PDB file of all heavy atoms in Angstrom:
ATOM      1  N   ALA A  23     -75.192  24.889  -3.781  1.00 96.00           N
ATOM      2  CA  ALA A  23     -73.881  25.346  -3.375  1.00 96.00           C
ATOM      3  C   ALA A  23     -72.811  24.673  -4.208  1.00 96.00           C
ATOM      4  O   ALA A  23     -72.828  23.458  -4.373  1.00 96.00           O
ATOM      5  CB  ALA A  23     -73.656  25.023  -1.905  1.00 96.00           C
ATOM      6  N   TYR A  24     -71.944  25.468  -4.851  1.00 95.00           N
ATOM      7  CA  TYR A  24     -70.916  24.921  -5.711  1.00 95.00           C
ATOM      8  C   TYR A  24     -69.516  25.269  -5.125  1.00 95.00           C
ATOM      9  O   TYR A  24     -69.137  26.428  -5.117  1.00 95.00           O
ATOM     10  CB  TYR A  24     -70.981  25.598  -7.085  1.00 95.00           C
ATOM     11  CG  TYR A  24     -72.241  25.422  -7.856  1.00 95.00           C
ATOM     12  CD1 TYR A  24     -73.312  26.354  -7.715  1.00 95.00           C
ATOM     13  CD2 TYR A  24     -72.435  24.399  -8.795  1.00 95.00           C
ATOM     14  CE1 TYR A  24     -74.453  26.230  -8.469  1.00 95.00           C
ATOM     15  CE2 TYR A  24     -73.550  24.274  -9.499  1.00 95.00           C
ATOM     16  CZ  TYR A  24     -74.565  25.191  -9.365  1.00 95.00           C
ATOM     17  OH  TYR A  24     -75.740  25.103 -10.080  1.00 95.00           O
ATOM     18  N   GLY A  25     -68.846  24.290  -4.676  1.00 95.00           N
ATOM     19  CA  GLY A  25     -67.476  24.447  -4.232  1.00 95.00           C
ATOM     20  C   GLY A  25     -67.293  25.625  -3.235  1.00 95.00           C
ATOM     21  O   GLY A  25     -66.406  26.444  -3.460  1.00 95.00           O
ATOM     22  N   LEU A  26     -68.102  25.620  -2.194  1.00 97.00           N
ATOM     23  CA  LEU A  26     -68.031  26.720  -1.251  1.00 97.00           C
ATOM     24  C   LEU A  26     -66.781  26.592  -0.326  1.00 97.00           C
ATOM     25  O   LEU A  26     -66.495  25.481   0.196  1.00 97.00           O
ATOM     26  CB  LEU A  26     -69.242  26.769  -0.355  1.00 97.00           C
ATOM     27  CG  LEU A  26     -70.488  27.439  -0.862  1.00 97.00           C
ATOM     28  CD1 LEU A  26     -71.520  27.498   0.283  1.00 97.00           C
ATOM     29  CD2 LEU A  26     -70.229  28.843  -1.400  1.00 97.00           C
ATOM     30  N   TYR A  27     -66.108  27.706  -0.155  1.00 98.00           N
ATOM     31  CA  TYR A  27     -65.014  27.749   0.876  1.00 98.00           C
ATOM     32  C   TYR A  27     -65.285  28.903   1.833  1.00 98.00           C
ATOM     33  O   TYR A  27     -65.827  29.952   1.411  1.00 98.00           O
ATOM     34  CB  TYR A  27     -63.671  28.069   0.150  1.00 98.00           C
ATOM     35  CG  TYR A  27     -63.081  26.882  -0.575  1.00 98.00           C
ATOM     36  CD1 TYR A  27     -63.468  26.560  -1.877  1.00 98.00           C
ATOM     37  CD2 TYR A  27     -62.073  26.133   0.006  1.00 98.00           C
ATOM     38  CE1 TYR A  27     -62.912  25.499  -2.521  1.00 98.00           C
ATOM     39  CE2 TYR A  27     -61.505  25.049  -0.675  1.00 98.00           C
ATOM     40  CZ  TYR A  27     -61.947  24.750  -1.944  1.00 98.00           C
ATOM     41  OH  TYR A  27     -61.391  23.719  -2.624  1.00 98.00           O
ATOM     42  N   LYS A  28     -64.921  28.691   3.088  1.00 98.00           N
ATOM     43  CA  LYS A  28     -64.861  29.823   4.027  1.00 98.00           C
ATOM     44  C   LYS A  28     -63.524  29.731   4.721  1.00 98.00           C
ATOM     45  O   LYS A  28     -63.224  28.744   5.411  1.00 98.00           O
ATOM     46  CB  LYS A  28     -66.000  29.776   5.015  1.00 98.00           C
ATOM     47  CG  LYS A  28     -66.003  30.922   6.010  1.00 98.00           C
ATOM     48  CD  LYS A  28     -66.282  32.258   5.309  1.00 98.00           C
ATOM     49  CE  LYS A  28     -66.126  33.472   6.189  1.00 98.00           C
ATOM     50  NZ  LYS A  28     -66.420  34.745   5.541  1.00 98.00           N
ATOM     51  N   ILE A  29     -62.761  30.731   4.549  1.00 98.00           N
ATOM     52  CA  ILE A  29     -61.410  30.788   5.171  1.00 98.00           C
ATOM     53  C   ILE A  29     -61.338  32.065   6.026  1.00 98.00           C
ATOM     54  O   ILE A  29     -61.557  33.161   5.540  1.00 98.00           O
ATOM     55  CB  ILE A  29     -60.329  30.798   4.079  1.00 98.00           C
ATOM     56  CG1 ILE A  29     -60.381  29.462   3.288  1.00 98.00           C
ATOM     57  CG2 ILE A  29     -58.929  30.970   4.723  1.00 98.00           C
ATOM     58  CD1 ILE A  29     -59.661  29.496   2.004  1.00 98.00           C
ATOM     59  N   TYR A  30     -61.120  31.829   7.286  1.00 98.00           N
ATOM     60  CA  TYR A  30     -61.016  32.984   8.237  1.00 98.00           C
ATOM     61  C   TYR A  30     -59.514  33.310   8.371  1.00 98.00           C
ATOM     62  O   TYR A  30     -58.649  32.441   8.392  1.00 98.00           O
ATOM     63  CB  TYR A  30     -61.561  32.635   9.617  1.00 98.00           C
ATOM     64  CG  TYR A  30     -63.068  32.356   9.604  1.00 98.00           C
ATOM     65  CD1 TYR A  30     -63.561  31.037   9.687  1.00 98.00           C
ATOM     66  CD2 TYR A  30     -63.996  33.391   9.579  1.00 98.00           C
ATOM     67  CE1 TYR A  30     -64.912  30.763   9.735  1.00 98.00           C
ATOM     68  CE2 TYR A  30     -65.363  33.122   9.596  1.00 98.00           C
ATOM     69  CZ  TYR A  30     -65.798  31.832   9.669  1.00 98.00           C
ATOM     70  OH  TYR A  30     -67.153  31.576   9.729  1.00 98.00           O
ATOM     71  N   ASN A  31     -59.228  34.595   8.512  1.00 96.00           N
ATOM     72  CA  ASN A  31     -57.859  35.074   8.719  1.00 96.00           C
ATOM     73  C   ASN A  31     -56.891  34.541   7.688  1.00 96.00           C
ATOM     74  O   ASN A  31     -55.780  34.071   8.014  1.00 96.00           O
ATOM     75  CB  ASN A  31     -57.371  34.734  10.123  1.00 96.00           C
ATOM     76  CG  ASN A  31     -58.336  35.073  11.197  1.00 96.00           C
ATOM     77  OD1 ASN A  31     -59.113  36.060  11.041  1.00 96.00           O
ATOM     78  ND2 ASN A  31     -58.372  34.313  12.303  1.00 96.00           N
ATOM     79  N   ALA A  32     -57.311  34.599   6.401  1.00 92.00           N
ATOM     80  CA  ALA A  32     -56.440  34.059   5.336  1.00 92.00           C
ATOM     81  C   ALA A  32     -55.084  34.662   5.342  1.00 92.00           C
ATOM     82  O   ALA A  32     -54.935  35.884   5.552  1.00 92.00           O
ATOM     83  CB  ALA A  32     -57.167  34.348   4.006  1.00 92.00           C
ATOM     84  N   GLY A  33     -54.093  33.842   5.166  1.00 92.00           N
ATOM     85  CA  GLY A  33     -52.707  34.299   5.128  1.00 92.00           C
ATOM     86  C   GLY A  33     -52.040  34.561   6.451  1.00 92.00           C
ATOM     87  O   GLY A  33     -50.844  34.882   6.493  1.00 92.00           O
ATOM     88  N   GLU A  34     -52.815  34.504   7.539  1.00 95.00           N
ATOM     89  CA  GLU A  34     -52.262  34.706   8.835  1.00 95.00           C
ATOM     90  C   GLU A  34     -52.001  33.379   9.527  1.00 95.00           C
ATOM     91  O   GLU A  34     -52.551  32.320   9.161  1.00 95.00           O
ATOM     92  CB  GLU A  34     -53.196  35.570   9.724  1.00 95.00           C
ATOM     93  CG  GLU A  34     -53.407  36.967   9.154  1.00 95.00           C
ATOM     94  CD  GLU A  34     -54.509  37.699   9.879  1.00 95.00           C
ATOM     95  OE1 GLU A  34     -54.696  37.471  11.110  1.00 95.00           O
ATOM     96  OE2 GLU A  34     -55.186  38.488   9.235  1.00 95.00           O
ATOM     97  N   PRO A  35     -51.180  33.381  10.587  1.00 95.00           N
ATOM     98  CA  PRO A  35     -50.874  32.117  11.283  1.00 95.00           C
ATOM     99  C   PRO A  35     -52.198  31.526  11.851  1.00 95.00           C
ATOM    100  O   PRO A  35     -52.297  30.303  12.003  1.00 95.00           O
ATOM    101  CB  PRO A  35     -49.958  32.488  12.436  1.00 95.00           C
ATOM    102  CG  PRO A  35     -49.375  33.808  12.037  1.00 95.00           C
ATOM    103  CD  PRO A  35     -50.361  34.466  11.140  1.00 95.00           C
ATOM    104  N   SER A  36     -53.173  32.380  12.136  1.00 95.00           N
ATOM    105  CA  SER A  36     -54.468  31.878  12.710  1.00 95.00           C
ATOM    106  C   SER A  36     -55.465  31.495  11.654  1.00 95.00           C
ATOM    107  O   SER A  36     -56.655  31.294  11.993  1.00 95.00           O
ATOM    108  CB  SER A  36     -55.051  32.988  13.557  1.00 95.00           C
ATOM    109  OG  SER A  36     -55.237  34.146  12.797  1.00 95.00           O
ATOM    110  N   MET A  37     -54.981  31.293  10.420  1.00 97.00           N
ATOM    111  CA  MET A  37     -55.919  30.921   9.349  1.00 97.00           C
ATOM    112  C   MET A  37     -56.684  29.643   9.586  1.00 97.00           C
ATOM    113  O   MET A  37     -56.134  28.667  10.126  1.00 97.00           O
ATOM    114  CB  MET A  37     -55.139  30.790   8.024  1.00 97.00           C
ATOM    115  CG  MET A  37     -55.959  30.368   6.868  1.00 97.00           C
ATOM    116  SD  MET A  37     -55.046  30.568   5.302  1.00 97.00           S
ATOM    117  CE  MET A  37     -54.796  28.887   4.870  1.00 97.00           C
ATOM    118  N   VAL A  38     -58.029  29.687   9.348  1.00 97.00           N
ATOM    119  CA  VAL A  38     -58.849  28.481   9.529  1.00 97.00           C
ATOM    120  C   VAL A  38     -59.668  28.240   8.257  1.00 97.00           C
ATOM    121  O   VAL A  38     -60.303  29.163   7.771  1.00 97.00           O
ATOM    122  CB  VAL A  38     -59.872  28.663  10.709  1.00 97.00           C
ATOM    123  CG1 VAL A  38     -60.772  27.475  10.793  1.00 97.00           C
ATOM    124  CG2 VAL A  38     -59.157  28.915  12.032  1.00 97.00           C
ATOM    125  N   THR A  39     -59.615  27.041   7.733  1.00 98.00           N
ATOM    126  CA  THR A  39     -60.475  26.709   6.602  1.00 98.00           C
ATOM    127  C   THR A  39     -61.693  26.053   7.171  1.00 98.00           C
ATOM    128  O   THR A  39     -61.732  24.855   7.500  1.00 98.00           O
ATOM    129  CB  THR A  39     -59.785  25.743   5.643  1.00 98.00           C
ATOM    130  OG1 THR A  39     -58.555  26.349   5.191  1.00 98.00           O
ATOM    131  CG2 THR A  39     -60.623  25.378   4.421  1.00 98.00           C
ATOM    132  N   ALA A  40     -62.787  26.820   7.346  1.00 98.00           N
ATOM    133  CA  ALA A  40     -64.012  26.339   7.947  1.00 98.00           C
ATOM    134  C   ALA A  40     -64.858  25.583   6.979  1.00 98.00           C
ATOM    135  O   ALA A  40     -65.577  24.656   7.398  1.00 98.00           O
ATOM    136  CB  ALA A  40     -64.778  27.520   8.577  1.00 98.00           C
ATOM    137  N   LEU A  41     -64.845  25.940   5.731  1.00 98.00           N
ATOM    138  CA  LEU A  41     -65.580  25.173   4.681  1.00 98.00           C
ATOM    139  C   LEU A  41     -64.578  24.900   3.585  1.00 98.00           C
ATOM    140  O   LEU A  41     -63.866  25.813   3.076  1.00 98.00           O
ATOM    141  CB  LEU A  41     -66.781  25.942   4.156  1.00 98.00           C
ATOM    142  CG  LEU A  41     -67.916  26.200   5.165  1.00 98.00           C
ATOM    143  CD1 LEU A  41     -68.985  27.123   4.522  1.00 98.00           C
ATOM    144  CD2 LEU A  41     -68.550  24.911   5.589  1.00 98.00           C
ATOM    145  N   ASN A  42     -64.557  23.646   3.147  1.00 97.00           N
ATOM    146  CA  ASN A  42     -63.499  23.218   2.225  1.00 97.00           C
ATOM    147  C   ASN A  42     -64.144  22.498   1.041  1.00 97.00           C
ATOM    148  O   ASN A  42     -64.344  21.298   1.049  1.00 97.00           O
ATOM    149  CB  ASN A  42     -62.576  22.281   3.015  1.00 97.00           C
ATOM    150  CG  ASN A  42     -61.333  21.894   2.218  1.00 97.00           C
ATOM    151  OD1 ASN A  42     -61.278  22.204   1.005  1.00 97.00           O
ATOM    152  ND2 ASN A  42     -60.448  21.189   2.892  1.00 97.00           N
ATOM    153  N   ASN A  43     -64.572  23.296   0.050  1.00 96.00           N
ATOM    154  CA  ASN A  43     -65.101  22.736  -1.205  1.00 96.00           C
ATOM    155  C   ASN A  43     -66.405  21.946  -1.016  1.00 96.00           C
ATOM    156  O   ASN A  43     -66.520  20.751  -1.306  1.00 96.00           O
ATOM    157  CB  ASN A  43     -64.040  21.829  -1.855  1.00 96.00           C
ATOM    158  CG  ASN A  43     -64.368  21.522  -3.281  1.00 96.00           C
ATOM    159  OD1 ASN A  43     -65.145  22.196  -3.909  1.00 96.00           O
ATOM    160  ND2 ASN A  43     -63.730  20.460  -3.800  1.00 96.00           N
ATOM    161  N   VAL A  44     -67.407  22.665  -0.521  1.00 96.00           N
ATOM    162  CA  VAL A  44     -68.696  22.019  -0.207  1.00 96.00           C
ATOM    163  C   VAL A  44     -69.651  22.282  -1.371  1.00 96.00           C
ATOM    164  O   VAL A  44     -69.942  23.467  -1.738  1.00 96.00           O
ATOM    165  CB  VAL A  44     -69.216  22.638   1.101  1.00 96.00           C
ATOM    166  CG1 VAL A  44     -70.676  22.241   1.329  1.00 96.00           C
ATOM    167  CG2 VAL A  44     -68.374  22.129   2.276  1.00 96.00           C
ATOM    168  N   SER A  45     -70.239  21.238  -1.958  1.00 95.00           N
ATOM    169  CA  SER A  45     -71.225  21.331  -3.069  1.00 95.00           C
ATOM    170  C   SER A  45     -72.442  20.473  -2.711  1.00 95.00           C
ATOM    171  O   SER A  45     -72.226  19.282  -2.468  1.00 95.00           O
ATOM    172  CB  SER A  45     -70.599  20.876  -4.338  1.00 95.00           C
ATOM    173  OG  SER A  45     -69.441  21.540  -4.653  1.00 95.00           O
ATOM    174  N   PHE A  46     -73.596  21.095  -2.799  1.00 95.00           N
ATOM    175  CA  PHE A  46     -74.809  20.238  -2.553  1.00 95.00           C
ATOM    176  C   PHE A  46     -76.042  21.088  -2.964  1.00 95.00           C
ATOM    177  O   PHE A  46     -75.889  22.271  -3.190  1.00 95.00           O
ATOM    178  CB  PHE A  46     -74.928  19.813  -1.082  1.00 95.00           C
ATOM    179  CG  PHE A  46     -75.113  20.992  -0.163  1.00 95.00           C
ATOM    180  CD1 PHE A  46     -76.432  21.352   0.276  1.00 95.00           C
ATOM    181  CD2 PHE A  46     -74.075  21.702   0.292  1.00 95.00           C
ATOM    182  CE1 PHE A  46     -76.613  22.432   1.124  1.00 95.00           C
ATOM    183  CE2 PHE A  46     -74.273  22.855   1.142  1.00 95.00           C
ATOM    184  CZ  PHE A  46     -75.527  23.174   1.546  1.00 95.00           C
ATOM    185  N   GLY A  47     -77.168  20.407  -3.010  1.00 94.00           N
ATOM    186  CA  GLY A  47     -78.412  21.113  -3.275  1.00 94.00           C
ATOM    187  C   GLY A  47     -79.425  20.769  -2.162  1.00 94.00           C
ATOM    188  O   GLY A  47     -79.386  19.696  -1.602  1.00 94.00           O
TER     189      GLY A  47
END
Side-chain angles (χ1 to χ4, degrees):
Y24 300 90
L26 279 186
Y27 284 82
K28 182 66 188 181
I29 297 164
Y30 296 103
N31 310 331
E34 293 170 35
S36 58
M37 177 166 112
V38 176
T39 303
L41 294 173
N42 186 354
N43 195 19
V44 168
S45 305
F46 65 96

